[in-house]
Each structure stands twice: as structure tokens, then as C-alpha cells.
Amino acid sequence: MLSTEFSNVICLEYEDSEMRTRWFCMQENQTMITVSLSWKPDIHEDFSDLADEIMQSLISEENTQG
């Protein structure tokens, strides 16, 4: 489990065969959102940073839209 700066977000990262997956889950009130991003680390070395940026963007948009 990876830590996040948001208390309502759970983040896991795991490897399966040649793929790495980062899974995010956010729960607020009675709404749950899950996002799963998978990539091949030997081809896309810096994708984990992009995955973090994508999730931060989703969380920011969700927070501004209520």
C-alpha cells in the first residue's frame, strides 16, 4: 500500500508478469471511485510519476465539483 496525502484515498501498487499496476480507490459519503493504471516498466520507466499526476488531477476535479 502506498501512502497518499488524502485520508480517503487508498493506493496499491503491484507487479503481475511484465506489468506494473497502480490501483487507487477513493470513497466519500456513499460514492466509491476506483482507478487502475497498468504499464510495462521496462518500456515506460517514468509512468508511475504520470500515474500519480493523473490521480491527483482526478481527485482535484472531484473535490472542486463536489
Side-chain angles (χ1 to χ4, degrees), residues 4-56:
T4 67
E5 60 186 77
F6 301 100
S7 61
N8 60 339
V9 176
I10 297 170
C11 179
L12 300 172
E13 185 172 289
Y14 56 91
E15 292 192 35
D16 180 7
S17 300
E18 298 176 357
M19 302 291 286
R20 181 175 295 161
T21 299
R22 185 154 306 168
W23 177 84
F24 298 91
C25 179
M26 183 174 87
Q27 182 175 2
E28 189 169 318
N29 298 325
Q30 294 188 8
T31 302
M32 180 178 287
I33 299 170
T34 61
V35 177
S36 182
L37 302 168
S38 298
W39 68 97
K40 289 187 175 186
D42 55 336
I43 296 173
H44 305 286
E45 297 174 7
D46 298 324
F47 191 81
S48 59
D49 295 334
L50 180 58
D52 285 338
E53 290 177 26
I54 290 168
M55 192 59 204
Q56 290 288 348

